[in-house]
Amino acid sequence: MSEFDLIRQHFTRATRHTHLGVGDDAALITPSANMELAISADMLVSGTHFFADADPYQLGWKSLAVNLSDMAAMGANPKWATLAIALPGVNQPWLTEFSRGFFACADAFKVDLIGGDTTRGPLTISVQIMGEVPTGTAIKRSGAGVGEEIWVSGQLGDAALALAHMQGNLALTEDAFTHCAKKLHAPQPRVTLGLALRDIANSAIDISDGLLADLGHILSQSNLGASIYIANIPHSEYLNIQLTSDLYHQKLSMLLAGGDDYELCFTAPTEKHAEIIHLSESLKLPLSCIGLTTNNAKLVVHGFDDEILDVKEAGFDHFR
Ligand code: ADP
Ligand code: MG
């Protein structure tokens, strides 16, 4: 099969917002009036970001979903993607499943695949995403003010729990693993939430490297500190069942430093509290207030008994 047949068969679909898509030397798009383009890229490398034998359907979904998560964090509406992929060989069943997963995510969020590149090499997937946001309304990391509430969507830690299970560091029940593995392999980017937050949040980030690291980016770019409360960090029942007191440190690690959650962390003035609760109900998505921003340039973490955790001693400091 030629490279062109491969691209035609697996990566060419009808488009929604595109003049000229896959097939020419470049794609052609027209951004809407009064909109800024939000552009981002994320690369997934075999052995680093996923296991070589990862399920191709889920890999296709995830490679687009992690990019959509960046759009969500900016309050941008995702519209166009390109896909550059290095493949060790032409494996038709693998490609069929990968592209099915990729386009399932593209269809769910109305994104056009408009081009890319295909080459032979160690399995590497690089997606670039482009979205639109009304000029001047994107939610930046640098926009947080003092005394704002810090919010987190969904639940944190399940993806890290699944990964720890796969690495043999702990053993989940079948039930727990099924739930957590779905969070790890098929994340749901919070695009609708991101769009709604344009009028509500002053700063936002998606949690891909762990809460402390990613909240840390908001704080350093906004020149702020924060007080956050472990007891308020939303998590599934599985984290409780799995991690009893002797694994307290591990539980903290999942909540504070676990990666791959792809939830949003955002800050908003306290006056917006009721509006955010209302939004949570209308989106049927938990939104939890986990603390407040401060002007003391430190991130203070309150433990389950309201003791102040020494995040440095606990080994979390380098995540900031
Ligand atoms: P060129 O040699 O001009 O770079 P290519 O042969 O690499 O062109 O690609 C041919 C067409 O297929 C281009 O429109 C390119 O954007 C598209 N394309 C290549 N690989 C992919 C892919 N993995 N997904 C989507 N489109 C692709
Ligand atoms: Mg090319």
Side-chain angles (χ1 to χ4, degrees):
M1 163 181 256
S2 81
E3 183 188 323
F4 305 105
D5 291 335
L6 185 158
I7 294 164
R8 199 176 312 122
Q9 182 176 338
H10 295 291
F11 297 119
T12 309
R13 297 283 188 284
T15 54
R16 306 162 182 86
H17 342 274
T18 304
H19 296 302
L20 186 62
V22 171
D24 211 312
D25 292 307
L28 298 172
I29 57 175
T30 307
S32 313
N34 306 316
M35 293 286 199
E36 287 177 317
L37 280 180
I39 303 173
S40 172
D42 249 321
M43 184 147 63
L44 300 182
V45 178
S46 176
T48 304
H49 301 99
F50 59 90
F51 297 107
D53 62 352
D55 178 80
Y57 180 94
Q58 290 180 323
L59 197 55
W61 174 282
K62 185 169 179 174
S63 59
L64 183 57
V66 299
N67 281 274
L68 297 181
S69 181
D70 287 316
M71 293 289 101
M74 297 299 289
N77 186 19
K79 289 187 122 173
W80 303 284
T82 61
L83 167 66
I85 188 164
L87 298 164
V90 178
N91 177 339
Q92 288 289 4
W94 191 96
L95 278 164
T96 299
E97 283 305 291
F98 177 86
S99 59
R100 243 175 28 87
F102 187 97
F103 283 110
C105 188
D107 291 341
F109 293 91
K110 299 193 167 56
V111 170
D112 289 348
L113 180 63
I114 62 171
D117 202 18
T118 306
T119 177
R120 196 175 284 267
L123 182 59
T124 305
I125 302 150
S126 181
V127 173
Q128 185 187 47
I129 186 84
M130 284 151 283
E132 293 185 324
V133 57
T135 302
T137 68
I139 314 166
K140 300 176 191 163
R141 296 177 179 183
S142 57
V146 179
E148 290 184 3
E149 289 180 330
I150 301 166
W151 294 81
V152 165
S153 69
Q155 297 179 321
L156 302 187
D158 284 342
L161 211 48
L163 186 63
H165 173 94
M166 291 168 75
Q167 291 171 331
N169 298 335
L170 51 80
L172 294 174
T173 63
E174 205 179 310
D175 241 28
F177 182 64
T178 304
H179 169 91
C180 295
K182 205 167 162 226
K183 295 293 200 71
L184 176 66
H185 298 307
Q188 287 294 324
R190 302 305 186 190
V191 173
T192 314
L193 172 63
L195 295 178
L197 289 177
R198 272 180 200 160
D199 297 328
I200 296 174
N202 283 340
S203 72
I205 192 166
D206 67 317
I207 306 175
S208 54
D209 296 330
L211 176 63
L212 284 194
D214 290 317
L215 174 58
H217 292 310
I218 288 184
L219 299 178
S220 61
Q221 294 196 27
S222 298
N223 289 312
L224 294 173
S227 275
I228 63 169
Y229 296 82
I230 289 274
N232 294 353
I233 300 177
H235 58 81
S236 74
E237 65 199 277
Y238 301 111
L239 208 66
N240 280 340
I241 295 167
Q242 188 60 41
L243 300 169
T244 48
S245 53
D246 52 321
L247 292 166
Y248 182 69
H249 183 271
Q250 227 171 346
K251 176 169 179 173
L252 291 183
S253 148
M254 305 282 165
L255 284 177
L256 295 174
D260 269 340
D261 291 308
Y262 299 103
E263 295 295 345
L264 295 187
C265 175
F266 59 95
T267 71
T270 51
E271 306 89 81
K272 302 279 188 183
H273 190 99
E275 198 178 337
I276 293 168
I277 298 298
H278 188 252
L279 179 64
S280 169
E281 284 159 7
S282 69
L283 295 180
K284 297 188 172 62
L285 173 66
L287 299 175
S288 309
C289 180
I290 64 162
L292 289 171
T293 61
T294 61
N295 58 8
N296 70 4
K298 264 185 70 178
L299 177 51
V300 178
V301 182
H302 298 255
F304 287 102
D305 299 316
D306 208 33
E307 78 284 13
I308 290 185
L309 291 179
D310 189 338
V311 283
K312 195 172 193 165
E313 179 145 293
F316 300 130
D317 195 51
H318 65 281
F319 294 108
R320 260 203 82 178

